[in-house]
């Protein structure tokens, strides 16, 4: 038996974000310095997972709410873009590399999650192909750098879950969400609009296409702020908005619902919204980004 540590390489460094640690550090610092910390300390955040040139500034608003002196463990829930998955999957890796420093997977929590029988194991190839978790690693590393020696991460790849499965995973993860030393990062972009995404919903009453997109996104954001999983499901059924992290968001909303049953008070606020470009005609396309934070009282 070899004792070689299994590492997940920073496979999107050099394309989706810079592979230079010093350059990356400076970029993240720049974006974070532009954002205000108003809603901390966050117990959970929703933030985008696109290339940093598109969404780095938006994501900073979520990460600015993280308190590294409280947080010890970061759960990162990202949607699966490349492999069909009807459940959630855990990584075969022990270490996730970033250009800043390596992040260690919490093997104790992983062992507890394995025991439930609710998780699949993704291959290292699947893990390295997927960007939805990786795009949060540099920001997690940056936000937590002052306490990096005590930090571990719990990456979870979230499949195309049914509503009842979202409820089951929400219930399961709610005990971790109840712990102030845990932070949940929910990886999601918002509307993917245009023919290339096969989604061209347009409400002409809003004016330009990009205003219709923003109105649709803000409607969904408002529903997420209500922290009601059923309303969020109904919104998705009605408008089919292409929110790629709808299942990770659904899991979070169900975890919150579980804790609220026990009298825990929480609220969620979105702090920033952006679009990759402004769509004005049917040939255009854009992706929307939103950043927000969940606070436990």
């Amino acid at each position: 038996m070899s004792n070689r540590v299994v590492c997940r390489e920073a496979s999107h460094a050099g394309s989706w974000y810079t592979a230079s640690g010093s350059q990356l550090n400076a970029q993240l610092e720049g974006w974070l310095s532009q954002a205000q910390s108003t809603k901390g300390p966050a117990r959970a955040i929703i933030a985008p997972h696109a290339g940093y040139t598109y969404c780095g500034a938006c994501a900073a608003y979520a990460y600015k709410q993280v308190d590294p002196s409280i947080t010890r463990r970061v759960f990162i829930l990202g949607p699966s873009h490349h492999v069909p998955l009807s459940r959630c999957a855990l990584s075969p890796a022990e270490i996730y590399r970033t250009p800043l420093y390596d992040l260690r997977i919490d093997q104790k929590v992983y062992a507890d999650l394995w025991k439930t029988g609710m998780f699949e194991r993704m291959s290292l190839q699947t893990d390295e192909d997927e960007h939805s978790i990786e795009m949060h690693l540099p920001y997690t590393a940056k936000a937590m750098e002052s306490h990096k020696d005590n930090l571990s991460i719990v990456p979870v790849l979230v499949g195309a879950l049914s509503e009842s499965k979202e409820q089951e995973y929400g219930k399961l993860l709610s005990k971790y969400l109840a712990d102030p030393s845990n932070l949940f990062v929910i990886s999601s972009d918002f509307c993917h609009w245009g023919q290339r995404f096969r989604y061209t919903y347009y409400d002409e009453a809003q004016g330009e296409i990009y205003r219709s997109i923003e109105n649709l996104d803000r409607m969904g954001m408002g529903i997420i702020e209500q922290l009601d999983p059923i309303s969020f499901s109904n919104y998705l059924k009605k408008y089919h908005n292409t929110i790629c992290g709808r299942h990770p968001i659904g899991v979070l909303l169900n975890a919150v619902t579980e804790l609220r049953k026990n009298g825990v008070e929480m609220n969620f606020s979105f702090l920033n919204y952006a679009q990759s470009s402004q769509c004005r005609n049917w040939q255009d396309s854009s992706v929307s980004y939103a950043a927000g934070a969940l606070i436990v009282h």
Side-chain angles (χ1 to χ4, degrees):
M1 288 288 289
S2 99
N3 290 331
R4 207 166 57 82
V5 174
V6 181
C7 295
R8 181 201 183 279
E9 295 302 327
S11 45
H12 294 74
S15 51
W16 290 56
Y17 57 97
T18 177
S20 152
S22 57
Q23 227 177 336
L24 183 57
N25 188 52
Q27 282 174 350
L28 295 172
E29 271 180 10
W31 288 318
L32 286 164
S33 71
Q34 299 298 304
Q36 292 75 42
S37 63
T38 50
K39 295 284 174 191
R43 186 72 56 88
I45 59 174
I46 293 176
H49 54 235
Y52 281 0
T53 48
Y54 296 106
C55 76
C58 175
Y61 283 82
Y63 280 95
K64 189 79 169 198
Q65 318 312 319
V66 174
D67 184 345
S69 69
I70 299 172
T71 306
R72 290 289 166 269
R73 192 182 293 111
V74 179
F75 287 72
I76 306 171
L77 275 57
S80 174
H81 286 87
H82 306 295
V83 294
L85 188 61
S86 65
R87 304 200 299 164
C88 290
L90 304 179
S91 172
E94 295 159 77
I95 297 287
Y96 271 22
R97 295 200 185 286
T98 85
L100 301 177
Y101 59 88
D102 292 350
L103 297 167
R104 178 176 56 82
I105 290 185
D106 193 310
Q107 294 300 332
K108 187 188 174 312
V109 173
Y110 253 26
D112 290 344
L113 296 178
W114 279 126
K115 277 182 209 148
T116 64
M118 290 167 66
F119 293 84
E120 296 174 28
R121 186 189 290 273
M122 57 178 133
S123 68
L124 192 60
Q125 184 67 58
T126 294
D127 200 353
E128 290 184 347
D129 287 348
E130 182 54 66
H131 61 275
S132 74
I133 293 172
E134 180 180 341
M135 296 310 294
H136 290 282
L137 303 176
Y139 253 122
T140 296
K142 182 64 188 162
M144 292 300 300
E145 66 183 348
S146 61
H147 290 70
K148 63 182 177 188
D149 295 339
N150 303 317
L151 172 68
S152 64
I153 61 168
V154 182
V156 179
L157 189 63
V158 178
L161 307 179
S162 63
E163 283 174 54
S164 62
K165 282 222 178 93
E166 286 180 3
Q167 213 174 345
E168 283 173 38
Y169 284 106
K171 228 174 214 164
L172 172 71
L173 294 173
S174 64
K175 71 168 189 186
Y176 298 103
L177 184 64
D179 181 344
S181 68
N182 291 333
L183 167 74
F184 275 72
V185 173
I186 306 298
S187 175
S188 186
D189 297 337
F190 274 69
C191 185
H192 296 61
W193 193 94
Q195 287 163 17
R196 72 191 183 102
F197 297 120
R198 298 187 190 81
Y199 187 76
T200 50
Y201 171 87
Y202 178 36
D203 174 5
E204 289 175 19
Q206 300 300 323
E208 297 272 19
I209 292 172
Y210 70 88
R211 291 195 185 279
S212 164
I213 294 169
E214 175 162 359
N215 185 64
L216 178 69
D217 280 331
R218 288 199 182 274
M219 203 189 307
M221 290 156 67
I223 288 167
I224 291 167
E225 287 180 337
Q226 292 165 19
L227 296 171
D228 177 12
I230 292 161
S231 301
F232 185 56
S233 289
N234 290 340
Y235 161 83
L236 292 171
K237 282 174 195 153
K238 182 172 180 182
Y239 296 101
H240 303 283
N241 191 0
T242 41
I243 299 172
C244 54
R246 57 190 170 274
H247 298 297
I249 292 170
V251 170
L252 175 70
L253 296 180
N254 278 286
V256 166
T257 301
E258 194 61 28
L259 291 188
R260 278 182 150 179
K261 284 181 197 165
N262 303 328
V264 181
E265 280 188 50
M266 287 168 274
N267 72 296
F268 191 96
S269 313
F270 278 101
L271 306 162
N272 190 259
Y273 175 79
Q275 294 176 348
S276 58
S277 59
Q278 292 188 331
C279 292
R280 289 186 163 82
N281 63 57
W282 297 103
Q283 279 63 55
D284 291 342
S285 68
S286 71
V287 179
S288 311
Y289 313 115
L294 177 81
I295 311 303
V296 179
H297 301 295

